[in-house]
Amino acid sequence: MTEGLELRRMGSGVVIVAAGAALALIAIVLTARDGMTEWSYAVTFGALIAIGEMVQFRVDRIRNRAPIATSAALGYAMLRGPSVGVPPDVAQVVAVTAVATVAGLLPRAIAGLGWDIVVSCRRGISVACAAAVFSLLAPADLAWTGRWQDALWLSGAMLLGVLSAGVSDALIGAGQATERHNRPFPAALRDELSVMGRIGLAMGISGILLATGTALLGLWAPPLVVVPLLLTQFAFRRFASAQRTYRTTVRSMARSTEIAGFSSPGQNARTAQLAVALGHDLGLTPARMEALEYAALLSGVGQLALADPSPGGASLLRTREERRRAAEIGAAVIERSGVLDHVAEIVRHSNDPYRQGRANNADIPVESGIVNVALAYEQLVGEGNGQSPAKAMESIGLGIGAEYDPVVVESLRRVIGRGFRF
């Protein structure tokens, strides 16, 4: 796959790759000039980083995860102790991480497996931040001596190093999300920090345990700490596989309306595409974004209970009562899955006029209004319908405050103004 090399699709990722490459090159030159210390530890942790990169995986459709590589790199950055004669400096940490990362990515590239050079460079930059903060707070002669004062200072320095890595990566990720999806930066940063709190800190603490164990037990420690990481990675991969199956099932359900002729080919996917763009613009959380996408895909399922298809899948041509009945039936069908109740609630209110629905009932999710607007726009502009975006916006604008949520319509204006097209 060429996923990692398509620079034209990377945007600010080019800057991230350039920064990571420059940082790695400087570190390698400095390490070559000053000489490598503690080769056995460098090789051991480098091998762990390379293996972690080789077995990276994608859980959330946003970025690849490499928990073993991240924990190993952070652990190497925070080595101090009686078993480590001369701890690695910042340059050596960055150099070993960079070389090991390339060594781990090459087999994936050769095998045609997915990889993301931007994410790997982000990981390298965050590790450099952790190494710099830790080195600043913990002098090279500070080690695990058995004194509680030293232990407390080292533990605090390690924790701050991990936090600096997480925050730097979150800032970079939020900037990318803002550029790529036009998300408000505060919302993007909130999401990145949330991921850091749930996943990043777990990898960081594993790195702390790896560094502490190695400092006290030597090279016997990495196998002991990596085994739980391998089991955790296996569980994550199983979860990722289940999520892919889940999404495939939802998309198959969505296509049933197209096969039966109740919606035009690709209509549900186009509606979901626009709904997701609106959700990004409004700063919805990732969990709500996923529910929104599923609701947009499944918004037409209830039409299967109607007597006959709408011409060209134009459900807006049906009476208000028919649309409400279809939404209620669709919600009931979705609820039977037992795991999509939040999606069913969005679909249930997706045909409610704003004035009679969300304007008077704050419990109705804004996602319902998003699906309503996205579906209306798709049926006006979508494949074969012929209206221009400007004409469609004019038609939707006539229903602001009555049929459509003003907040969502304003978001649609911004999204269309930025050049969104199906």
Side-chain angles (χ1 to χ4, degrees), residues 11 14 36 70 111 128 195 213 237 241 316 318 338 344 370 388 402 420 422:
V14 175
M36 181 81 73
T70 303
V195 172
R237 292 181 74 93
S241 177
L316 295 181
R318 292 188 179 275
I370 293 175
S388 66
F420 175 89
F422 288 119

Side-chain angles (χ1 to χ4, degrees), residues 42-352:
V43 171
T44 299
F45 279 87
L48 287 178
I49 295 169
I51 292 171
E53 289 286 355
M54 280 192 286
V55 296
Q56 63 178 253
F57 58 96
R58 179 165 293 185
V59 174
D60 51 11
R61 294 187 291 172
I62 299 175
R63 57 182 289 191
N64 285 22
R65 305 288 176 183
I68 295 177
T70 303
S71 298
L74 290 173
Y76 188 60
M78 298 182 290
L79 276 183
R80 291 285 192 280
S83 297
V84 183
V86 180
D89 59 15
V90 176
Q92 183 169 318
V93 170
V94 174
V96 170
T97 300
V99 172
T101 297
V102 173
L105 290 178
L106 279 177
R108 293 187 68 87
I110 294 171
L113 300 175
W115 58 290
D116 193 331
I117 189 63
V118 177
V119 172
S120 295
C121 285
R122 280 175 56 177
R123 192 176 299 124
I125 293 171
S126 64
V127 168
C129 289
V133 170
F134 180 74
S135 178
L136 183 65
L137 297 175
D141 58 350
L142 183 63
W144 299 96
T145 61
R147 298 174 65 246
W148 69 268
Q149 295 94 334
D150 293 340
L152 183 62
W153 191 264
L154 272 172
S155 299
M158 287 181 168
L159 185 58
L160 287 175
V162 166
L163 288 175
S164 68
V167 170
S168 63
D169 187 71
L171 288 170
I172 296 173
Q176 280 193 287
T178 299
E179 177 198 43
R180 186 178 303 162
H181 304 298
N182 292 301
R183 289 180 68 76
F185 184 79
L189 183 58
R190 173 204 64 202
D191 297 341
E192 289 288 337
L193 290 175
S194 174
V195 172
M196 184 194 80
R198 290 182 286 109
I199 300 176
L201 280 183
M203 293 186 288
I205 291 173
S206 297
I208 291 175
L209 293 176
L210 186 57
T212 304
T214 303
L216 298 175
L217 301 177
L219 293 178
W220 289 102
L224 297 177
V225 178
V226 167
V227 168
L229 277 174
L230 285 171
L231 296 177
T232 302
Q233 173 146 332
F234 176 75
F236 267 117
R237 292 181 74 93
R238 290 289 299 272
F239 173 76
S241 177
Q243 287 292 95
R244 285 193 295 270
T245 302
Y246 194 49
R247 289 192 291 271
T248 301
T249 301
V250 169
R251 291 186 179 278
S252 297
M253 290 176 62
R255 287 200 61 204
S256 63
T257 61
E258 299 176 13
I259 295 172
F262 283 83
S263 59
S264 61
Q267 177 178 318
N268 296 323
R270 290 191 295 272
T271 302
Q273 179 188 1
L274 178 55
V276 167
L278 295 174
H280 279 306
D281 181 76
L282 292 172
L284 299 186
T285 63
R288 294 178 67 181
M289 288 289 297
E290 183 177 57
L292 171 63
E293 182 181 6
Y294 289 167
L297 285 169
L298 299 175
S299 60
V301 169
Q303 293 189 65
L304 295 173
L306 301 179
D308 56 323
S310 303
S315 60
L316 295 181
L317 298 179
R318 292 188 179 275
T319 65
R320 173 72 63 191
E321 183 57 35
E322 285 181 318
R323 291 165 58 192
R324 282 180 171 171
R325 185 161 65 90
E328 187 62 43
I329 293 172
V333 170
I334 295 169
E335 281 178 337
R336 291 179 184 176
S337 69
V339 293
L340 291 173
D341 290 350
H342 52 308
V343 175
E345 189 66 14
I346 297 172
V347 172
R348 177 173 285 111
H349 298 286
S350 62
N351 279 297
D352 291 355

